[in-house]
Amino acid sequence: MANPKAVTLSNDPKGVVIAWDDGHTSTYAFPYLRKACPCAMCKGERTPLDTNPLALPAFPNLKPGSFDAKDMFKVGRYALGFRWGDGHNAGIYTWDYLRKMCPCEACLSQ
């Protein structure tokens, strides 16, 4: 189970930086997070066999303002949520989901 030590905002790229308890640090640009929204409307229903969060088709009607995070909030002790520029806020980004979708070269090569 992945657990964050710190969650901060980043200006370059605009997004979120998570320092994990395993010593790794992940930086997620807001467009990357919005395209990876895990809600049923954006990604469709999932099965336990869906292991790659970005492999499923993205919600097709995203406009440029959709990628602006207007608000970031904690969901209990297990996730982050965002209110996006298009008003969408249904995605719950669990810590495990975020750790698995780390976009750094080291994680993508695994």
Side-chain angles (χ1 to χ4, degrees):
M1 174 100 159
N3 289 300
K5 287 177 29 179
V7 178
T8 57
L9 293 176
S10 168
N11 284 324
D12 188 27
K14 287 199 178 290
V16 178
V17 177
I18 300 177
W20 298 101
D21 61 359
D22 65 0
H24 188 72
T25 299
S26 303
T27 301
Y28 306 92
F30 286 137
Y32 181 79
L33 289 170
R34 180 62 181 96
K35 289 176 186 175
C37 179
C39 82
M41 182 175 74
C42 292
K43 296 294 187 186
E45 295 297 327
R46 293 175 174 258
T47 71
L49 300 176
D50 295 328
T51 57
N52 183 346
L54 300 178
L56 297 173
F59 190 64
N61 298 324
L62 295 178
K63 295 179 174 64
S66 301
F67 301 119
D68 299 332
K70 301 298 183 184
D71 191 21
M72 178 175 75
F73 49 92
K74 287 175 64 175
V75 179
R77 293 185 182 195
Y78 67 96
L80 287 178
F82 299 90
R83 184 175 56 84
W84 299 104
D86 58 3
H88 184 68
N89 67 354
I92 297 174
Y93 298 75
T94 65
W95 301 129
D96 282 344
Y97 180 71
L98 287 164
R99 184 64 178 94
K100 288 176 186 171
M101 63 181 271
C102 177
C104 80
E105 287 185 35
C107 291
L108 290 175
S109 67
Q110 292 179 0

